[in-house]
Amino acid sequence: MSWEENVRKVTPYVPGEQPKRKDIIKLNTNECPYPPSKKVREALLAANADELRLYPDPDALELRESLAQAYGVKKEQIFVGVGSDDVLAMAFQTFFNSSKPILFPDITYSFYEVWADLFRIPFQIQPLDENFHIRAQDYRKENGGIIFPNPNAPTGVCEPLSLIEEIVRENPDSVVIVDEAYIDFGGMSALPLTEKYDNLLIVQTFSKSRALAGMRIGFAIGNEKLISYLSDVKFSFNSYTMNRLVLTAGKACVEDQDYFKLCTGKIKVTRERVKESLRKLGFSFPDSYGNFLFVTHKEIPAKELFEALKAEGIYVRYFNRPRTDNYLRITVGTDEEMDTLLEFLKNYRNR
Ligand code: PMP
């Protein structure tokens, strides 16, 4: 018998490419095109390296207090992790423990399926309608939990709170996780619904709207009982997920709400302008509420365009999956980056 027979074999999630070259226009992983708040830089420069000999606060109390204040909830309602991927992975392990399948859309964040496989959680995929919207009736069946992003990724489609409330209300025996990675770009957060429903967990991230993808900070908000169960699982896995510098940077970042509003505001303005220009070039796309657009062209195949853009040093994301294999997901960058992209697309179409 070979030792390999007893190896756990999984198909991993494949993150977007992080190119080594610096001259790339990087529109492939939905990062913020602007630097983080100056307060983050100042806090990191003021940090005392000698203190790194000590473990960080396992409860991440100061960061959770800052978040609690920013979102108007109690610190006991906040959980923090190493990016929202870490928070989501913990939440899968904590809340999706039934033998009934968990439900999520067919077109969505592809990590959900990977975690379900990794943690051996049965799942059942629910198709979005032809306009990439969630159909509430698909979530009206026996299940061991529900998860979807709002706005959805990679489509950018945002569901109204009435639909989210319907799903949460109709599933009192399941935890419903709403992954709000992109909520700060124009959608309505389901956060107020956590006061009414104890089975709703909201997950957000510092990686997009707060320009800290490199720091890895994500968080969950829900009622105290949910958060306490989540915390028990985290403490059964790794007490010190958040290091000292991360905690320092995260706190400084949340406390600069003005800069956060400025950045997200700029990205929204750019996004709306780019929508107009792309339409004129013959692209169509669902109306995105994220910091990205999910575009298809009536004449140019997405894969061909993906490769042409890459050769030009413009990186976007292509998902070779059912229903989405003729789409490109393009992150909203700076105005200058988007102008370079638009110019390339105009010339490509007229070549
Ligand atoms: N959820 C969704 C829908 C995402 O697109 C991403 C980004 N890949 C994440 C969660 C994870 O982001 P992070 O771990 O950087 O917080």
Side-chain angles (χ1 to χ4, degrees):
M1 191 178 103
S2 148
W3 58 267
E4 270 191 295
E5 278 176 44
N6 288 324
V7 166
R8 180 66 197 279
K9 297 172 197 84
V10 287
T11 309
Y13 171 76
V14 183
E17 193 175 339
Q18 293 294 338
K20 303 289 172 290
R21 270 172 58 194
K22 291 279 179 246
D23 55 346
I24 296 293
I25 296 188
K26 194 173 174 308
L27 308 175
N28 66 337
T29 49
N30 295 346
E31 289 137 327
C32 178
Y34 304 110
S37 156
K38 283 202 176 67
K39 302 267 166 55
V40 170
R41 187 186 155 78
E42 285 162 17
L44 287 174
L45 289 174
N48 180 355
D50 289 352
E51 285 183 353
L52 294 178
R53 72 188 180 79
L54 299 170
Y55 281 111
D57 172 12
D59 293 312
L61 208 59
E62 286 189 38
L63 175 57
R64 284 171 50 226
E65 275 168 356
S66 300
L67 281 164
Q69 183 154 20
Y71 289 90
V73 297
K74 289 191 264 180
K75 64 177 185 309
E76 291 79 14
Q77 291 179 263
I78 306 237
F79 176 86
V80 294
V82 187
S84 52
D85 282 341
D86 180 51
V87 176
L88 289 164
M90 296 280 164
F92 268 58
Q93 293 184 80
T94 312
F95 303 118
F96 296 164
N97 259 297
S98 155
S99 54
K100 295 174 201 159
I102 62 164
L103 310 178
F104 52 82
D106 59 342
I107 303 169
T108 196
Y109 187 30
S110 50
F111 224 141
Y112 301 159
E113 199 173 318
V114 174
W115 285 314
D117 273 335
L118 179 64
F119 303 135
R120 300 190 167 105
I121 301 166
F123 61 93
Q124 216 184 70
I125 284 167
Q126 308 304 310
L128 296 173
D129 75 12
E130 67 281 9
N131 298 315
F132 295 152
H133 273 280
I134 288 175
R135 297 181 298 201
Q137 70 265 29
D138 292 342
Y139 296 81
R140 215 171 277 147
K141 60 178 75 142
E142 273 219 314
N143 66 75
I146 292 171
I147 178 157
F148 54 86
N150 197 48
N152 199 0
T155 62
V157 168
C158 198
E159 302 298 348
L161 284 192
S162 53
L163 177 125
I164 294 174
E165 180 159 14
E166 193 179 333
I167 292 176
V168 175
R169 190 182 55 236
E170 287 175 348
N171 288 282
D173 298 335
S174 300
V175 173
V176 179
I177 302 178
V178 182
D179 176 354
E180 294 190 337
Y182 301 103
I183 199 65
D184 298 322
F185 301 103
M188 286 274 282
S189 173
L191 181 63
L193 295 176
T194 59
E195 286 172 29
K196 207 166 151 192
Y197 301 96
D198 64 1
N199 60 326
L200 170 63
L201 188 78
I202 304 294
V203 177
Q204 294 193 9
T205 177
F206 283 44
S207 299
K208 322 290 177 184
S209 55
R210 294 186 191 272
L212 277 187
M215 266 293 164
R216 311 302 298 125
I217 308 176
F219 60 100
I221 309 185
N223 83 69
E224 290 177 40
K225 214 158 144 189
L226 278 181
I227 297 302
S228 134
Y229 281 126
L230 196 49
S231 182
D232 286 347
V233 167
K234 177 218 132 163
F235 277 101
S236 309
F237 181 74
N238 179 357
S239 312
Y240 306 109
T241 50
M242 313 296 282
N243 71 56
R244 282 179 172 267
L245 295 178
V246 162
L247 293 173
T248 299
K251 179 167 151 45
C253 180
V254 188
E255 289 174 358
D256 195 352
Q257 287 293 97
D258 289 345
Y259 184 73
F260 163 74
K261 285 188 191 133
L262 186 78
C263 274
T264 48
K266 276 206 286 196
I267 291 166
K268 283 192 276 183
V269 171
T270 307
R271 177 186 68 203
E272 295 310 306
R273 179 176 73 83
V274 173
K275 280 181 190 171
E276 270 305 301
S277 308
L278 286 173
R279 252 184 228 114
K280 286 187 190 138
L281 291 171
F283 286 92
S284 55
F285 41 86
D287 193 23
S288 173
Y289 284 74
N291 64 338
F292 54 87
L293 295 158
F294 196 52
V295 309
T296 186
H297 195 275
K298 51 187 190 295
E299 284 142 25
I300 314 167
K303 189 153 192 288
E304 173 194 318
L305 193 53
F306 169 75
E307 273 150 18
L309 283 164
K310 190 162 183 187
E312 190 67 16
I314 303 175
Y315 284 33
V316 300
R317 197 87 198 260
Y318 173 66
F319 299 97
N320 195 358
R321 291 170 69 100
R323 293 183 78 186
T324 60
D325 58 356
N326 201 24
Y327 282 83
L328 294 178
R329 191 196 69 190
I330 306 174
T331 304
V332 177
T334 60
D335 278 312
E336 202 187 352
E337 288 172 329
M338 298 322 273
D339 287 341
T340 307
L341 168 84
L342 290 167
E343 190 58 27
F344 175 84
L345 294 176
K346 199 163 93 190
N347 294 333
Y348 193 81
R349 202 191 54 162
N350 299 335
R351 96 211 106 112

